[in-house]
Amino acid sequence: MNKPPKKQPDFRMTPQRAGILHFLEGNKSHPSAEDIYARLRRKFPGMSFATVYNTLQSLLALGGLTEIKIDGSRARFDPDCKPHSHLMCVSCGTIADLPAPKLRAARAPKGFKVLRCNVEFYGVCRRCAPGTAKKETSSCQKKKRR
Ligand code: ZN
Ligand code: MN
């Protein structure tokens, strides 16, 4: 079956999709699709992981959701689409918000128009490293993975 290319993704509302939307609304935990599925399958026992995944893809296409790539192991999702940065605890995977840094692309080649920038911070949260929090994380630790 050939589906026509969609310009505007349609979003048919179902109780399960409404549940996913409700879970995401104002959610600051930056959940993965697996997290959302684990949380909602109790409420919707018949719901498949594909339903969660497809709903997230639709929301991404509609612009109501942002995919965050800070976690190298799995995509995380953020209903907050305003520009901001993230920091992730490499121990527990918690992702927190940071205001968007005011960076100037001072070293961009001449004529290169910078449209956006993406800064990710990796470290250890206070809960995961109470002993080292004072001495190790006093300054901003920016760590590049890979
Ligand atoms: Zn942590
Ligand atoms: Mn965020």
Side-chain angles (χ1 to χ4, degrees):
M1 261 206 307
N2 281 330
K3 282 196 218 152
K6 285 186 209 162
K7 266 258 157 77
Q8 278 203 320
D10 55 338
F11 192 81
R12 225 163 23 87
M13 192 57 78
T14 64
Q16 298 177 345
R17 287 190 146 189
I20 294 168
L21 279 175
H22 182 71
F23 176 75
L24 285 171
E25 200 182 324
N27 192 313
K28 292 273 177 196
S29 70
H30 307 94
S32 66
E34 292 81 2
D35 293 333
I36 298 166
Y37 179 59
R39 284 289 302 272
L40 291 179
R41 64 192 293 195
R42 269 168 266 156
K43 197 172 173 187
F44 303 104
M47 185 174 68
S48 67
F49 179 75
T51 297
V52 174
Y53 181 85
N54 293 333
T55 301
L56 293 173
Q57 295 307 311
S58 298
L59 291 173
L60 287 172
L62 289 164
L65 191 67
T66 306
E67 185 178 339
I68 298 174
K69 307 231 163 80
I70 188 170
D71 182 348
S73 61
R74 52 201 188 140
R76 309 271 292 249
F77 298 92
D78 193 345
D80 182 357
C81 294
K82 295 188 294 292
H84 63 283
S85 291
H86 294 102
L87 42 84
M88 185 174 100
C89 173
V90 296
S91 177
C92 68
T94 297
I95 295 175
D97 289 333
L98 269 184
K102 290 190 174 59
L103 292 180
R104 285 183 305 125
R107 304 209 175 147
K110 206 175 172 194
F112 187 94
K113 190 182 175 194
V114 176
L115 297 175
R116 59 180 175 268
C117 77
N118 180 31
V119 183
E120 294 165 347
F121 297 88
Y122 297 90
V124 182
C125 76
R126 198 191 295 195
R127 242 181 325 166
C128 290
T132 57
K134 267 182 212 153
K135 52 179 196 282
E136 293 268 320
T137 55
S138 56
S139 65
C140 177
Q141 286 187 321
K142 194 170 127 188
K143 197 166 105 194
K144 256 210 171 146
R145 294 158 107 209
R146 283 174 287 216

